[in-house]
C-alpha cells in the first residue's frame, strides 16, 4: 500500500540516539558526513565502517530496515563504481586491458571507496535523522541549527513552519490518494494497462480531486491559523522547549574524537592504499 | 440464496509493520439476493473494511468472498469485472468527482465498461433521475454543487454501472433529514424497480428500520447479530450492550409488549407500531 512508504521511516524508540536533542542530531549528522569524506585510507575506512555498525546497534533499528534504506540508491552506487573503475588512470601497469578499456588497481580501490562512502553516508544520516527522529522534532532541530541566520533577517521560523506543514500533510495526502484511487477503481478505472499516454490520462481522475482537496485544505488551514492570530513566530513560545543534556555533550565529544582519529590515521598509518 | 457471501474472512491493515491493526477477524455473513441489507456498527467496527472486500478493493488476508457462489479472487486479473458487478459507493464519495461536467463524471464508469454512446447517455439520464439530479445540473461543473448534490452525483456515478449488487457506505452521513430522505428514498425506489441486491451501511437505526429488510450488526471486527429487521430489533438489550440503540419507537413497542399486550407486525417504524396498536385496540373491543 502507498501508505507504508512514508510511515515506514520513523521508528519510535528509546535508544540513546532517540534521546539526543534533535539540534545535536543535525550537527552530528553533518559532522559524520565530513568524517566520511575525510577518510582516505583503508584503515580510516575500516574505522568508519566500525562506527557505522555501532550506530546501527546503538539505535536498535533492525539491520534489515537499514539495508532496505540503501536499496533505492543501489543504482547510483553501481553507476559511480563503474565510472570510477573505467576512468581512473593509475601509475603502474593496468591490471586488465581490452581494446581501449584499462582497469588499474587505483580504479578498483577508488570505486570501492566511493561506493562505501555513499552507503555509509545514507546509513548514518538516516539513522541520525529519519529513523530515530520524528518529522516534527527534526524540523525543530533544523530550525534550531539555522536560528543564527535570523540575525541576518532570514525568515528561519517561516521556513521551518512551511516544512512542518508539508511534513504534516504527507500522510494525509497519501491517505487521500489511496481513497481517491479506490473510489475510481470502484468505477472501473484502470491504472495499470495501456501505453504511456493512456496511463497518464488515467491519472487525471486522481490528480484533479487530489489538487482540489489540497487547495481546500490549504485554504482552511490558513484561515484557521489567522483566526488564532498566527503572526509568524513573533513572541511565540514553544510547548516543547529543546534543551541540551549531558548526553548531547558527550555525543559531541565522541564525534570530535572520531574525526580526530580519522585525521590521525590518514596521516600516520601509511600501510595499504590511500586516496 | 445468498447473492454475495463472506466466508471466514480476516483482514489486517499494515501487516508486519509496527502499525498492524486487525480490522476483521473470521467474519462470515451472507447477503440475500434482491433484498436491502443494513450493515450497522459503532465507529471503527470494520464496516468500511468489510464493504471494500465485496468488490475486491481489499483482498482478504484469509477467507473468501463468494459472488453467486464463486470466489471473486479465483482469477485476480479479472477483478475489474467484479467491480462492475458489485458497485461500491465509498464513504464520503464527493471527493471522487473530477470531470468538467456532472454528465461526463457520471458517465466515467459506463465509459470504462466500453458501452455504446447512446447506452451511456441513457444510463446517465436514468441514474441522475433516481437521485433527483435534473437536466440543468447535468451540464454544470461538479465543483459548483452543494455538498448534498455532490453526494447524489457521486452515487449516480455508481448507479450508472447498473451493478447486480449495490453497496453504499453511509450514503446519507452528514445530510439533513430531507437530504437523507431524497437519497435513501431514491435508492429504495431504484431497488424496487431493478431488484438489485443492496447493502447499506449506516449509523442511523431509524433509517435502517425504514429502508432495510435484513440487518447485520458488527462489533469489534466481528459479526454481532444478523437477521430480519424485526428479529434484530427484538434484541434491544443485546444491541444496547455494544453501544448501539434501536429506534425509539421500537423501544416503546417493546415496553407495550412487556406489559402483556400482544402487538404484531412491523414494530420498528412509527407507522407500523401505530397500525399494530390500532389493530389491537379494535380486536380488543
Ligand atoms: N487504511 C487503514 N490503515 C490502517 N488501519 C485502518 C485503515 N482503515 C481502517 N483502519 C482500521 O481498521 C479498523 C476498522 O475500520 P473501518 O474503517 O472498517 O471502520 P468503520 O466501521 O467503517 O468505522 P466508521 O463508522 O467510523 O466509518 C479501525 O480500527 C481502523 O483504525
Ligand atoms: Mg466507515
Amino acid at each position: 500500500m502507498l501508505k507504508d512508504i512514508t510511515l515506514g521511516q520513523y521508528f519510535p524508540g528509546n535508544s540513546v540516539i532517540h534521546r539526543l536533542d534533535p539540534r545535536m542530531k543535525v550537527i552530528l549528522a553533518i559532522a559524520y558526513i565530513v568524517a566520511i569524506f575525510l577518510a582516505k585510507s583503508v584503515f580510516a575506512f575500516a574505522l568508519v565502517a566500525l562506527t557505522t555498525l555501532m550506530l546501527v546497534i546503538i539505535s536498535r533499528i533492525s539491520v534489515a530496515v537499514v539495508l532496505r534504506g540503501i536499496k533505492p540508491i543501489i543504482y547510483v552506487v553501481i553507476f559511480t563504481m563503474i565510472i570510477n573503475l573505467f576512468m581512473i588512470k593509475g601509475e603502474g601497469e593496468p591490471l586488465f586491458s581490452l581494446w581501449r578499456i584499462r582497469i588499474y588497481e587505483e580504479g578498483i580501490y577508488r570505486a570501492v571507496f566511493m561506493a562505501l562512502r555513499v552507503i555509509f553516508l545514507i546509513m548514518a544520516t538516516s539513522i541520525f535523522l529519519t529513523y530515530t527522529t520524528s518529522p516534527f522534532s527534526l524540523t525543530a532541530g533544523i530550525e534550531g541549527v539555522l536560528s543564527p541566520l535570523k540575525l541576518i533577517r532570514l525568515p528561519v521560523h517561516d521556513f521551518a513552519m512551511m516544512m512542518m506543514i508539508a511534513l504534516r500533510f504527507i500522510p494525509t495526502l497519501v491517505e487521500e490518494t489511496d481513497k481517491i484511487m479506490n473510489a475510481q477503481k470502484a468505477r472501473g478505472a484502470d491504472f495499470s494497462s495501456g501505453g504511456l499516454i493512456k496511463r497518464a490520462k488515467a491519472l487525471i481522475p486522481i490528480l484533479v480531486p487530489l489538487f482540489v482537496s489540497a487547495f481546500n485544505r490549504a485554504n482552511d488551514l490558513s484561515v484557521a491559523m489567522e483566526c488564532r492570530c498566527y503572526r509568524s513566530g513573533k513572541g511565540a513560545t514553544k510547548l516543547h522547549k529543546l534543551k541540551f543534556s549531558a548526553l548531547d555533550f558527550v555525543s559531541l565529544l565522541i564525534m570530535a574524537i572520531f574525526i580526530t582519529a580519522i585525521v590521525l590515521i590518514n596521516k600516520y598509518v601509511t600501510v595499504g592504499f590511500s586516496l | 440464496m445468498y447473492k454475495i457471501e463472506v466466508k471466514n474472512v480476516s483482514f489486517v491493515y499494515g501487516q508486519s509493520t509496527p502499525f498492524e491493526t486487525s480490522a476483521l477477524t473470521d467474519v462470515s455473513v451472507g447477503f440475500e439476493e434482491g433484498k436491502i441489507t443494513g450493515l450497522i456498527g459503532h465507529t471503527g467496527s470494520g464496516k468500511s473494511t468489510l464493504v471494500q472486500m465485496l468488490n475486491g478493493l481489499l483482498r482478504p488476508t484469509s477467507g473468501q468472498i463468494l459472488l453467486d457462489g464463486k470466489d471473486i479472487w479465483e482469477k485476480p486479473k479479472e477483478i475489474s469485472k467484479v467491480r462492475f458487478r458489485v458497485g461500491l459507493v465509498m464513504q464520503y464519495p464527493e471527493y471522487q468527482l473530477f470531470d468538467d461536467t456532472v454528465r461526463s463524471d457520471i458517465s466515467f464508469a459506463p465509459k470504462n465498461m466500453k458501452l455504446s454512446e447512446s447506452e451511456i447517455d441513457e444510463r446517465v439520464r436514468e441514474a441522475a433521475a433516481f437521485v433527483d439530479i435534473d437536466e440543468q445540473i447535468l451540464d454544470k461543473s461538479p465543483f459548483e454543487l452543494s455538498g448534498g448534490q455532490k453526494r447524489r452525483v457521486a452515487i449516480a456515478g455508481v448507479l450508472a454501472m447498473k451493478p447486480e449488487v449495490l453497496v453504499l457506505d453511509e450514503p446519507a452521513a452528514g445530510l439533513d433529514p430531507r437530504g437523507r430522505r431524497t437519497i435513501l428514498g431514491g435508492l429504495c425506489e431504484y431497488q424496487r424497480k431493478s431488484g438489485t441486491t443492496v447493502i447499506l451501511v449506516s449509523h442511523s437505526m431509524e433509517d435502517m428500520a425504514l429502508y432495510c429488510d435484513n440487518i447485520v450488526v458488527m462489533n469489534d471486527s466481528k459479526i454481532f447479530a444478523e437477521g430480519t429487521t424485526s428479529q434484530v430489533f427484538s434484541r434491544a438489550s443485546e444491541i444496547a450492550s455494544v453501544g448501539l440503540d434501536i429506534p425509539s419507537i421500537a423501544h416503546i413497542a417493546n415496553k407495550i409488549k412487556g406489559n402483556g399486550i400482544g402487538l404484531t407486525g412491523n414494530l420498528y417504524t412509527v407507522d407500523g407500531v401505530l397500525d399494530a396498536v390500532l389493530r389491537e385496540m379494535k380486536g380488543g373491543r
Side-chain angles (χ1 to χ4, degrees):
Chain A
M1 210 179 264
L2 276 170
K3 209 171 187 169
D4 308 333
I5 305 169
T6 39
L7 282 184
Q9 287 188 343
Y10 170 56
F11 295 92
N14 198 25
S15 74
V16 175
I17 300 186
H18 280 92
R19 291 203 307 264
L20 288 175
D21 185 300
R23 289 172 294 178
M24 188 51 80
K25 285 200 248 194
V26 174
I27 295 170
L28 291 178
I30 295 169
Y32 207 88
I33 295 171
V34 172
I36 289 172
F37 279 90
L38 281 177
K40 289 207 159 49
S41 67
V42 176
F43 283 95
F45 267 94
L47 180 62
V48 173
L50 200 70
T51 43
T52 311
L53 187 68
M54 293 270 283
L55 281 180
V56 177
I57 294 169
I58 297 173
S59 68
R60 302 218 192 103
I61 303 288
S62 86
V63 179
V65 167
V66 178
L67 291 182
R68 214 183 315 139
I70 297 173
K71 234 164 86 186
I73 55 137
I74 206 76
Y75 292 105
V76 179
V77 171
I78 291 173
F79 184 71
T80 44
M81 277 185 86
I82 291 174
I83 295 278
N84 273 295
L85 208 54
F86 294 134
M87 294 299 167
I88 302 296
K89 295 221 168 3
E91 278 148 20
E93 284 292 297
L95 292 178
F96 170 87
S97 75
L98 177 75
W99 187 49
R100 287 167 68 182
I101 299 170
R102 287 185 177 71
I103 293 177
Y104 296 86
E105 199 184 340
E106 282 92 335
I108 294 178
Y109 275 114
R110 215 172 248 276
V112 172
F113 279 3
M114 272 315 201
L116 287 178
R117 265 184 187 162
V118 177
I119 289 171
F120 290 148
L121 189 137
I122 298 292
M123 281 170 81
T125 47
S126 41
I127 284 178
F128 277 123
L129 300 180
T130 42
Y131 295 148
T132 64
T133 320
S134 74
F136 294 108
S137 50
L138 182 60
T139 329
I142 292 173
E143 186 184 353
V145 171
L146 294 182
S147 63
L149 295 179
K150 279 179 190 158
L151 292 178
I152 55 166
R153 300 260 177 112
L154 269 176
V156 174
H157 177 85
D158 292 337
F159 285 133
M161 193 64 172
M162 281 191 257
M163 190 172 148
M164 181 114 79
I165 291 173
L167 285 172
R168 158 67 185 78
F169 280 103
I170 288 173
T172 314
L173 286 179
V174 170
E175 199 173 301
E176 206 143 276
T177 315
D178 235 19
K179 242 173 47 178
I180 295 170
M181 275 177 84
N182 275 342
Q184 309 301 26
K185 272 193 212 157
R187 294 203 280 165
D190 179 10
F191 306 118
S192 49
S193 71
L196 197 64
I197 293 178
K198 194 173 162 230
R199 281 195 200 197
K201 266 192 175 161
L203 289 180
I204 295 175
I206 302 175
L207 291 181
V208 172
L210 193 63
F211 273 97
V212 169
S213 102
F215 280 114
N216 282 338
R217 236 179 246 287
N219 195 31
D220 291 350
L221 181 66
S222 67
V223 170
M225 283 167 81
E226 256 162 35
C227 287
R228 296 185 209 175
C229 305
Y230 175 75
R231 277 167 48 243
S232 111
K234 277 192 207 78
T237 52
K238 286 208 156 59
L239 179 58
H240 301 289
K241 215 165 160 54
L242 295 177
K243 255 180 106 180
F244 287 118
S245 66
L247 194 65
D248 295 305
F249 293 111
V250 173
S251 66
L252 191 60
L253 186 68
I254 294 174
M255 184 59 75
I257 295 173
F258 171 59
I259 293 179
T260 319
I262 284 182
V263 172
L264 291 180
I265 291 175
N266 277 339
K267 204 163 176 189
Y268 295 110
V269 185
T270 47
V271 203
F273 179 83
S274 97
L275 290 175
Chain B
M1 171 71 185
Y2 290 136
K3 175 74 186 173
I4 191 163
E5 198 177 353
V6 176
K7 256 190 161 168
N8 305 101
V9 163
S10 300
F11 188 78
V12 181
Y13 279 107
Q15 199 162 30
S16 60
T17 69
F19 307 96
E20 205 172 273
T21 8
S22 170
L24 293 177
T25 38
D26 197 22
V27 166
S28 296
V29 64
F31 298 96
E32 272 180 67
E33 177 143 26
K35 292 273 167 68
I36 304 187
T37 304
L39 183 59
I40 198 162
H42 62 77
T43 186
S45 55
K47 306 182 294 293
S48 299
T49 308
L50 179 62
V51 146
Q52 287 178 58
M53 305 248 153
L54 299 180
N55 76 339
L57 281 178
L58 296 176
R59 189 172 182 165
T61 312
S62 68
Q64 287 179 312
I65 310 285
L66 305 177
L67 178 60
D68 282 335
K70 274 175 84 177
D71 186 358
I72 63 168
W73 285 101
E74 203 169 51
K75 292 185 191 133
K77 285 207 176 122
E78 296 185 0
I79 196 71
S80 59
K81 283 191 190 146
V82 172
R83 297 199 181 127
F84 293 130
R85 295 176 61 197
V86 182
L88 169 64
V89 180
M90 309 257 287
Q91 200 164 8
Y92 300 108
E94 301 78 292
Y95 58 78
Q96 71 182 30
L97 305 177
F98 71 97
D99 226 328
D100 315 339
T101 64
V102 170
R103 188 189 301 277
S104 52
D105 204 287
I106 297 178
S107 58
F108 181 66
K111 264 187 213 148
N112 286 330
M113 295 170 87
K114 309 209 162 48
L115 300 174
S116 71
E117 204 64 41
S118 57
E119 170 87 28
I120 292 177
D121 206 50
E122 162 90 29
R123 283 192 176 201
V124 169
R125 220 149 339 121
E126 234 176 289
F130 273 118
V131 291
D132 210 12
I133 293 288
D134 51 39
E135 204 59 34
Q136 226 179 333
I137 297 181
L138 281 181
D139 292 313
K140 280 194 176 177
S141 154
F143 299 105
E144 295 172 8
L145 305 182
S146 78
Q149 286 171 326
K150 278 188 198 164
R151 179 81 56 90
R152 287 181 313 200
V153 170
I155 293 174
V158 174
L159 284 186
M161 299 197 292
K162 292 202 178 161
E164 297 162 38
V165 182
L166 179 63
V167 188
L168 301 117
D169 197 348
E170 306 209 21
L175 298 181
D176 63 14
R178 199 164 119 213
R180 303 179 79 87
R181 268 202 303 277
T182 320
I183 286 185
L184 296 174
L187 286 170
C188 221
E189 196 190 312
Y190 173 82
Q191 196 274 336
R192 264 202 307 275
K193 283 197 181 149
S194 62
T196 313
T197 306
V198 173
I199 299 167
L200 183 67
V201 177
S202 172
H203 271 134
S204 158
M205 282 291 189
E206 256 84 16
D207 287 348
M208 292 268 161
L210 275 174
Y211 300 106
C212 298
D213 303 308
N214 296 326
I215 290 189
V216 173
V217 183
M218 287 192 73
N219 180 43
D220 247 355
S221 332
K222 289 190 197 72
I223 302 293
F224 179 78
E226 60 181 310
T228 64
T229 307
S230 53
Q231 280 168 356
V232 171
F233 284 161
S234 62
R235 297 163 63 182
S237 56
E238 278 172 76
I239 290 181
S241 75
V242 297
L244 295 169
D245 205 359
I246 63 171
S248 331
I249 192 69
H251 267 306
I252 296 176
N254 282 345
K255 279 249 167 73
I256 297 176
K257 279 210 295 196
N259 284 333
I261 300 169
L263 295 184
T264 51
N266 161 354
L267 296 180
Y268 38 86
T269 60
V270 177
D271 290 344
V273 173
L274 186 65
D275 273 352
V277 170
L278 288 178
R279 235 180 299 132
E280 182 63 25
M281 281 166 67
K282 275 182 201 140
R285 260 176 221 162

